[in-house]
Amino acid sequence: MKTTLVAGGAGFIGSHLCESLLNQNCKVICVDNFITSDKKNIDRFIGNPNFIFIKEDITKHLQLKDNIDYVFHLASPASPNIKSPRSYMSFPLETLMANSEGTHRLLELSRIKNSKFLFASTSEVYGDPLESPQKENYFGNVNPNGVRSVYDESKRFGEAITMAYFRKFDLDTRIVRIFNTFGPFMQADDGRVVSNFIIQAISGKPLTVYGNGTQTRSFCYVDDMVEGLKLAMFSDNSKGEVINLGNSNEKTVLELAKLIKKLANSSSQIIFENLPQDDPKVRQPDVSKAKKILGWETKVDLEKGLLKTIEYFKSL
Ligand code: UDP
């Protein structure tokens, strides 16, 4: 049985990853400090003998006796919505440290334990991109000290230190850049566009489009993302690579609002609010590298994924 450490395993994507690893008979050590995640995301695994939970901050020393075959680093606040209590802007220093010192400590652990390592980076390393779709070899257009910089720049540092461990110690690392992802277990107060619009639509409140809604995003269903993360970790040819993971189906935010309103049979209005600072105007992954080296492609289309997510939020 393989042992996997999932840092950030109580988060939205992390908890789906834990579930999928448990289902394929891995032992899962989940480390999380619940700074922006939630215990309820992992309640369903408690009692499973293959699931171990450690409440700890990854920037602190982790004492682990077990052998560890794989380390997934997904531990970071990730919501850019300043209105959300879970936003990385509410935790600027914690976000910087999770992706810098936290990444350093997990890389060191991987080196000592001889584990394979995956760093969950982000499409935000491309900033407000001047090229679209974004390929992995695009260096991005990032404001180094703007409000989003605590996330963008610390993820860029996380990528740099991951590559340093690969180059200096030949550590078996890979970096994945996660684009917008949605699905059940998104936090209701995360402030993400999909969760906000769904909650607004099913409760009859106006859908709040920021700016004029012409900015674009490409939304990936969480099951596809988890498949991509596992392939990136377990494939033989991902060592030292940087790989985009996301859905390439690009939509404007206004199109998304209209689609969610329709799928939820909602009579809510659509209203327009101020666009946040440094909000990227476009975002669309080029996923040809993931297809080539991992054989990965998204399977769940946007409408199907949104319907499942609407059902989840209705059930709460
Ligand atoms: N957005 C919006 N209304 C909301 C929340 C977000 O129009 O209630 C916009 C946001 O300004 C951005 C896009 O939707 O242009 C995606 O935002 P999200 O916070 O989900 O993630 P991002 O892609 O910015 O990291």
Side-chain angles (χ1 to χ4, degrees), residues 79-81 124 148 180 191-194 196-197 200 208-210 215 217 219 253 275-276 279-280 283:
S79 169
N81 194 329
E124 291 224 21
R148 294 174 90 112
N180 296 65
R192 294 293 189 150
V193 68
V194 172
N196 271 9
F197 285 175
Q200 290 161 344
T208 52
V209 169
Y210 300 160
Q215 70 272 35
R217 295 294 186 270
F219 298 96
V253 166
L275 190 67
D279 198 276
R283 190 180 288 152

Side-chain angles (χ1 to χ4, degrees), residues 35-36 77 79-95 147 150:
I35 184 171
T36 52
S79 169
N81 194 329
I82 200 163
K83 294 178 191 162
S84 162
R86 297 181 197 267
S87 165
Y88 56 67
M89 293 174 203
S90 308
F91 299 102
L93 298 175
E94 292 85 347
T95 302
V147 286
V150 294

Side-chain angles (χ1 to χ4, degrees), residues 86-113:
R86 297 181 197 267
S87 165
Y88 56 67
M89 293 174 203
S90 308
F91 299 102
L93 298 175
E94 292 85 347
T95 302
L96 284 160
M97 296 315 289
N99 291 303
S100 54
E101 181 57 22
T103 308
H104 180 210
R105 284 188 183 268
L106 291 175
L107 283 163
E108 206 39 39
L109 181 81
S110 304
R111 188 174 72 81
I112 292 161
K113 302 270 185 187

Side-chain angles (χ1 to χ4, degrees), residues 243-281:
I243 307 165
N244 285 340
L245 289 180
N247 193 311
S248 45
N249 177 10
E250 187 182 24
K251 287 259 175 283
T252 68
V253 166
L254 185 57
E255 282 169 341
L256 179 76
K258 289 179 180 163
L259 180 60
I260 290 178
K261 193 169 128 75
K262 184 186 96 183
L263 295 176
N265 287 320
S266 168
S267 52
S268 293
Q269 280 181 288
I270 294 178
I271 60 168
F272 295 86
E273 296 188 349
N274 289 340
L275 190 67
Q277 193 187 328
D278 291 337
D279 198 276
K281 286 181 260 320

